[in-house]
Amino acid sequence: MIRSVRSTNGARNWLLVRGVGAIIVIYAAVSNSVILLFLGLLLNGAGNATNLQARYAGTDLAKPKQRATAISMAMVATTFGAVAGPNLVNVMGDVADSFGVPTLAGPFILATVAYLLAGFIFFVFLRPDPFLVAKAIVKQEADHEKHNHSAKTTEKQLMSTIAKRGIIVGTTVMVLTQMVMVAIMTMTPVHMQHHGHGLQEIGLVISIHIGAMYLPSLVTGVLVDKLGRTTMSVTSGVILLSAGLLAAVAPGDSLAVLIIALALLGLGWNLGLISGTAMIVDATHPATRAKTQGTIDVLVGLSGAAGGALSGMVVAQSSYATLSLAGGTLALALVPVMIWYLKKNARAS
């Protein structure tokens, strides 16, 4: 399925699937059908692979030293929607009311229009397909290499070993940052509500957090290309640790401190996702890249689900502060992972 998403027609089709899923959710709300609601959410979630693969698609024709920048460009394009989305719930609720649709189904009206419009843009403007062009270029280079017999077997084996490590480490970076970010973010609204904050204040904190997840991308992408994937992965771990510590010690009624903590949480996630994604692209061959990327994104998604599920248990049994400290400590594990990666590659070289 993931490989089909990485083509123009595949991306268009999955955006249409999400559009249909959103329509089914709206109809389910009107007809009060739980079964249709689950079906619509299932289709909507399945189509989400299109969005996740967009950051990889941005690297298809990018030079090796510009891949992180290309990833960041794809991510920063989502900033407006990511920040505006939580603040449009009330507006779209009013729109839904005007059509006689249940208020909470309002955002799915906007989603239907957005998905169908995005599918149309993919179909009309994304030609030729960059993924197919990239595969053709690599095939041409491989044929040229075979003709000249210039590559040595030992060099190929060495590069293969380093590439496997790159995939493992890149996956670890994205899995850890996703788990930590989702765990702390999920419980923050509950924590704020418990301390008397209203929905408007909660929405503000989450909007700033989401903005910090995407808005810095153009800068962080350049930094990942200039300073290196490992350096920025370590930086991600340190920033996530800072976010966890700050969230843990923040007074429950202090909106300003929570805003800073959640902004740091988003920034740390941003650095981890971009550097981890760049490592995966660096370590994979175009012939198998889409399949590998899809598999890794499944792991990242599952890690986020696990973080969200475990976060509730931790807070219920202990506290939000304990969760934040645990998340920050877990993120710091990126430091020894990067040290191991650098030492192994130095020995192999």
Side-chain angles (χ1 to χ4, degrees):
M1 183 189 80
I2 295 297
R3 278 176 285 187
S4 70
V5 170
R6 287 296 308 278
S7 67
T8 301
N9 289 335
R12 177 200 63 194
N13 292 340
W14 281 107
L15 283 167
L16 291 177
V17 167
R18 293 194 75 180
V20 171
I23 293 172
I24 293 176
V25 169
I26 296 169
Y27 184 75
V30 173
S31 60
N32 199 28
S33 172
V34 175
I35 295 177
L36 286 178
L37 175 65
F38 286 155
L39 175 61
L41 292 175
L42 177 64
L43 293 176
N44 191 66
N48 191 48
T50 307
N51 288 351
L52 294 174
Q53 291 290 298
R55 72 185 194 279
Y56 288 119
T59 68
D60 286 336
L61 296 178
K63 296 179 180 179
K65 292 184 178 181
Q66 297 176 331
R67 284 171 176 163
T69 303
I71 294 167
S72 67
M73 290 177 67
M75 288 185 62
V76 79
T78 66
T79 302
F80 174 77
V83 175
N87 294 291
L88 288 176
V89 173
N90 290 334
V91 175
M92 293 310 302
D94 293 338
V95 172
D97 289 339
S98 68
F99 286 106
V101 175
T103 303
L104 294 179
F108 286 93
I109 297 175
L110 177 62
T112 300
V113 176
Y115 295 149
L116 296 179
L117 178 60
F120 174 77
I121 291 172
F122 262 85
F123 180 70
V124 174
F125 295 104
L126 195 62
R127 296 175 181 276
D129 190 323
F131 182 54
L132 298 181
V133 173
K135 289 179 69 174
I137 292 174
V138 171
K139 184 178 183 302
Q140 186 179 33
E141 291 175 348
D143 291 342
H144 181 71
E145 182 181 284
K146 288 179 181 179
H147 181 266
N148 292 332
H149 301 285
S150 59
K152 296 179 181 179
T153 303
T154 53
E155 291 178 348
K156 287 184 177 181
Q157 291 174 342
L158 175 60
M159 292 304 296
S160 176
T161 301
I162 293 176
K164 288 179 181 178
R165 291 196 196 106
I167 293 173
I168 293 172
V169 173
T171 302
T172 302
V173 172
M174 289 193 287
V175 165
L176 287 180
T177 53
Q178 180 79 358
M179 182 178 292
V180 172
M181 185 277 292
V182 172
I184 297 176
M185 180 194 70
T186 300
M187 285 295 105
T188 297
V190 178
H191 172 71
M192 292 181 66
Q193 189 174 36
H194 179 72
H195 285 277
H197 294 285
L199 290 177
Q200 186 173 357
E201 293 170 313
I202 293 173
L204 174 64
V205 171
I206 297 302
S207 294
I208 291 174
H209 164 70
I210 295 175
M213 288 172 62
Y214 296 99
L215 191 57
S217 293
L218 283 178
V219 176
T220 54
V222 174
L223 291 176
V224 171
D225 279 331
K226 297 293 184 182
L227 301 180
R229 283 67 162 130
T230 54
T231 299
M232 299 314 294
S233 294
V234 170
T235 304
S236 168
V238 173
I239 291 177
L240 288 172
L241 173 63
S242 302
L245 292 174
L246 194 58
V249 302
D253 58 351
S254 177
L255 183 64
V257 179
L258 283 172
I259 286 175
I260 296 172
L262 268 290
L264 288 174
L265 184 69
L267 178 61
W269 176 87
N270 177 276
L271 286 171
L273 187 73
I274 292 180
S275 56
T277 301
M279 293 180 76
I280 297 300
V281 176
D282 292 341
T284 50
H285 189 278
T288 59
R289 184 171 292 162
K291 182 178 180 180
T292 303
Q293 291 165 348
T295 302
I296 291 169
D297 271 1
V298 170
L299 295 176
V300 173
L302 291 175
S303 69
L310 292 173
S311 65
M313 297 179 188
V314 172
V315 172
Q317 297 299 319
S318 183
S319 66
Y320 177 77
T322 300
L323 171 69
S324 300
L325 288 173
T329 303
L330 180 61
L332 201 60
L334 290 175
V335 176
V337 169
M338 289 303 139
I339 292 174
W340 170 83
Y341 176 65
L342 291 173
K343 284 185 176 179
K344 285 289 186 180
N345 283 355
R347 289 174 185 174
S349 301

